[in-house]
Amino acid sequence: MDEMTEVRELRAHVPAPDRARLAPGRARLTEAARTKQSRRTPWRRREFAIVAVVAAVTAVAVTATLLVGGKGTGRTVQPAATPGVRFKGVSAAEFLRQAADAIQTQPDGAVPTAKQWIYTMSAQEPLDKAHSLSGDMENWIRYDGSASASRSWDEPLDITKMHLENGGAGDDRSPREMYRVLIALPADGKGTLKSLREQDAITDSKELSQARNDYDEISVLLSAHVMPAKGLASLYRALALLPGGKVTGHLVETAAGRRVIALDYSRGENPRTGEPMHDQWLIDPQTYRLVGVRIVSGGKVIGGNSLFTRAVVDKAGETS
């Protein structure tokens, strides 16, 4: 059984999405691992493309950018103020607390304006070194959630109009609405968990533990298009209070050519094979920012996206 067949079977129960649901830059972890129908949520878990890459990404590590306002103002992320966080042999909680302390010292650029676009270039996981071409994707989404655009390496720009704000898309939210949630989070982990539980943006499942419901809530916010340092530090501190995390004791390579820290959280068993399956958050070892997330089953990466670069631009099609 090849990986493509396995992935199709995992997602056989998911309804075919329309173009708006496939809007670029809104990818999130697939719900294919769930054996029951996904719950509708005030902001949806935007699914990662769970397809094998057509070919491998050339191993070029393009520095991640913080989002700042204005054309051509993507600013290179500098190493954290407290570099050298030790991760080998440390617990997930300890790593997350240290990463949060480092991140909160990073300055944020100007918040995008409503009409600006967030540009993302990413690579589909898993990495396939046997091929020379890539599964690179270029995505744009307007900060106000009114449109999105995409372009793969051999296709023209495709723009889709949307209306994400104020419940216009049902259970989805714009980058601006997500940012407003993040910037308002308390600084400490307990306060953040309390705030998220009170908002209950993702309705808690009675079939899951409180910790798992908390994890689902945090997972959505971790992949926001515009991530203020304060908000990310708050999420890390909240995640540090939850059980089940594990830091890989060595750097792993992403399809985008980065060597990163992998932070794993179990998703239970693969419903098809019965093998263990987990989310793997990909974290830059210098900036401690998230640069991707993928799903691993039976020791194999079966889907996800990893970041080349991200910036704020004035219109779809621009990259800087």
Side-chain angles (χ1 to χ4, degrees), residues 47-102:
E47 295 180 346
F48 264 101
I50 295 297
V51 292
V53 290
V54 176
V57 176
T58 302
V60 178
V62 181
T63 306
T65 57
L66 286 172
L67 296 179
V68 296
K71 180 178 179 180
T73 56
R75 179 164 53 82
T76 300
V77 175
Q78 298 300 316
T82 55
V85 168
R86 300 178 182 272
F87 60 92
K88 187 173 183 179
V90 304
S91 67
E94 182 182 355
F95 168 75
L96 286 164
R97 287 192 295 267
Q98 292 184 70
D101 290 344

Side-chain angles (χ1 to χ4, degrees), residues 186-230:
D188 64 297
K190 289 183 179 180
T192 294
L193 287 178
K194 182 175 183 292
S195 175
L196 294 178
R197 290 168 184 172
E198 289 174 348
Q199 293 182 58
D200 199 25
I202 297 179
T203 305
D204 285 351
S205 169
K206 295 180 180 179
E207 299 175 0
L208 300 176
S209 66
Q210 182 63 64
R212 184 66 203 191
N213 282 316
D214 290 338
Y215 173 77
D216 286 347
E217 189 103 19
I218 292 170
S219 294
V220 175
L221 291 170
L222 280 174
S223 298
H225 292 88
V226 182
M227 180 64 74
K230 173 184 177 294

